[in-house]
Amino acid sequence: MDQIESILQRPKLYNNIDGVGELSCGFMMLGFGLLTWLQARSPAGAIWHRMDVFAVWVGLMLLGIHYGSKAIKEHVTYPRTGFVEYRKRGSGAAIAFVVAAVVAAGIGFAARFHWNSALHLRLTTPVADFGLAFAVAYAFGIARAVRWKWAVVGAIAISTVAVAMLPEDTLRAFAGDASAVAGISGVTAGAWLLSILAYGAIMLVSGGISFVLYLRHTQPPAQAAA
Amino acid sequence: MNQHIRKIAELDRVIHEPGRLMIVTLLYAVDKADFLYLQHETQMNKGTLSSHLTRLEEAGYVEVVKTYRGKIPQTLLSLTAAGRSAFEQYRRKLKEAL
């Protein structure tokens, strides 16, 4: 029975066999992070603060991610290891998200209780909670099937804690004017910005490694037939 | 006859064969998949996979659609309603038997 359950999970894991899921996630995080950083670093009248520029940026980013991942699937993945059309999502993804959020909230609460004064987690806890939820969701969704991806879970968790440990002045300085734009404290804005850039970079590296490994271990149809 | 042994004897033999069980299980988790995907996941050769798919198609469990992706021929496979129900029943009976 366990083997049947394991085979039932395989098509879900196949979705990220080429690392495209992580690459998309990484581009999105870096895209948002970069725009926020540009907003923080530019004067109030700069184009980065305009809503139409924001809409164009997000639109281009989403279009690039959508058509980029579609092109990789069409021209690389499907000819090498086959095409899959997934069933409409049920409650599984929502349950995974809720479980991740509850676990992260628990860890965040424990961290706040124990390390409050030492790690400055009081102000950055919402960001740390997000980071821990992200690590748990990643572990549940991806790392449990691919052993080396546990290193990615570790990298997400370490970067979350590292950002939480940074001095408040550093976080505030990094945020620049972003806190005024977002209406949150400078420390939280800095922690959020640094975290999103770190997660984006981690996702890009992890997705890139997966993509290279996929290309190495699979053969294009012409070579496979030969 | 022991009740557990009777349960095992009642298992759907079309699905119970290990190769076909793998195919049906993979197709149960998706809406549709192509021949290449099944070949990649099951590591069967084309002949073996084809013969299992023919058996499943004859049983009315799998629907086979020949189409094209661009200019490349593609064989799309999906479980029929009867196939889904047979697999669910098979899992239930197997759980009861074990």
Side-chain angles (χ1 to χ4, degrees):
Chain A
M1 282 307 289
D2 288 347
Q3 282 175 321
I4 293 178
E5 297 303 323
S6 156
I7 295 172
L8 280 170
Q9 296 301 317
R10 289 191 65 85
K12 284 183 201 161
L13 301 169
Y14 181 73
N15 193 33
N16 191 50
I17 192 174
D18 44 16
V20 167
E22 286 171 277
L23 287 172
S24 303
C25 185
F27 275 119
M28 191 177 290
M29 285 177 160
L30 280 182
F32 276 115
L34 183 61
L35 181 61
T36 312
W37 186 78
L38 285 169
Q39 286 176 338
R41 294 283 149 191
S42 56
I47 57 163
W48 306 115
H49 294 277
R50 284 168 44 186
M51 275 309 289
D52 53 343
V53 173
F54 175 81
V56 169
W57 179 286
V58 172
L60 285 175
M61 201 171 70
L62 293 178
L63 280 175
I65 289 169
H66 175 75
Y67 286 106
S69 54
K70 198 175 172 184
I72 292 176
K73 291 282 182 197
E74 289 280 341
H75 298 288
V76 179
T77 313
Y78 297 158
R80 284 173 184 248
T81 49
F83 163 84
V84 172
E85 191 175 301
Y86 293 93
R87 301 183 74 193
K88 280 180 186 145
R89 286 193 174 198
S91 55
I95 290 169
F97 186 78
V98 169
V99 168
V102 168
V103 170
I107 295 170
F109 180 78
R112 192 179 308 161
F113 186 74
H114 287 294
W115 306 328
N116 196 14
S117 57
L119 300 183
H120 306 282
L121 280 172
R122 182 186 290 167
L123 291 170
T124 59
T125 291
V127 183
D129 277 356
F130 172 81
L132 294 171
F134 184 48
V136 172
Y138 183 90
F140 183 81
I142 295 176
R144 68 192 165 116
V146 185
R147 199 176 293 168
W148 72 266
K149 296 278 185 187
W150 283 102
V152 179
V153 176
I156 295 169
I158 288 168
S159 59
T160 301
V161 174
V163 169
M165 288 176 78
L166 283 174
E168 290 181 10
D169 289 344
T170 309
L171 292 173
R172 217 173 276 126
F174 190 76
D177 292 334
S179 57
V181 176
I184 52 178
S185 78
V187 175
T188 304
W192 171 253
L193 190 48
L194 265 178
S195 298
I196 205 98
L197 289 172
Y199 302 151
I202 291 169
M203 287 293 102
L204 270 191
V205 170
S206 174
I209 292 171
S210 292
F211 188 61
V212 170
L213 289 175
Y214 175 77
L215 292 179
R216 263 196 206 165
H217 294 141
T218 58
Q219 304 209 323
Q223 285 177 33
Chain B
M1 198 190 285
N2 182 306
Q3 201 182 349
H4 285 291
I5 296 173
R6 198 179 305 128
K7 290 271 182 199
I8 291 171
E10 284 172 5
L11 289 173
D12 187 331
R13 280 155 199 258
V14 176
I15 295 180
H16 192 57
E17 197 284 328
R20 289 196 287 272
L21 178 57
M22 237 192 306
I23 295 167
V24 171
T25 308
L26 285 168
L27 289 177
Y28 184 79
V30 301
D31 189 34
K32 58 183 82 156
D34 70 359
F35 190 89
L36 184 60
Y37 170 74
L38 288 180
Q39 210 187 340
H40 172 258
E41 288 290 334
T42 60
Q43 298 290 305
M44 289 181 203
N45 63 41
K46 283 184 183 176
T48 310
L49 183 56
S50 282
S51 95
H52 282 317
L53 286 170
T54 305
R55 181 80 186 84
L56 288 166
E57 193 182 12
E58 283 168 359
Y61 291 169
V62 166
E63 187 185 15
V64 182
V65 177
K66 305 267 186 189
T67 178
Y68 284 87
R69 191 169 44 78
K71 290 179 180 175
I72 303 162
Q74 188 182 36
T75 306
L76 286 177
L77 305 136
S78 57
L79 275 191
T80 61
R84 285 197 175 275
S85 149
F87 179 67
E88 283 160 7
Q89 212 171 348
Y90 172 83
R91 280 176 81 190
R92 202 170 49 247
K93 284 187 177 173
L94 190 62
K95 258 184 201 162
E96 288 168 6
L98 291 175

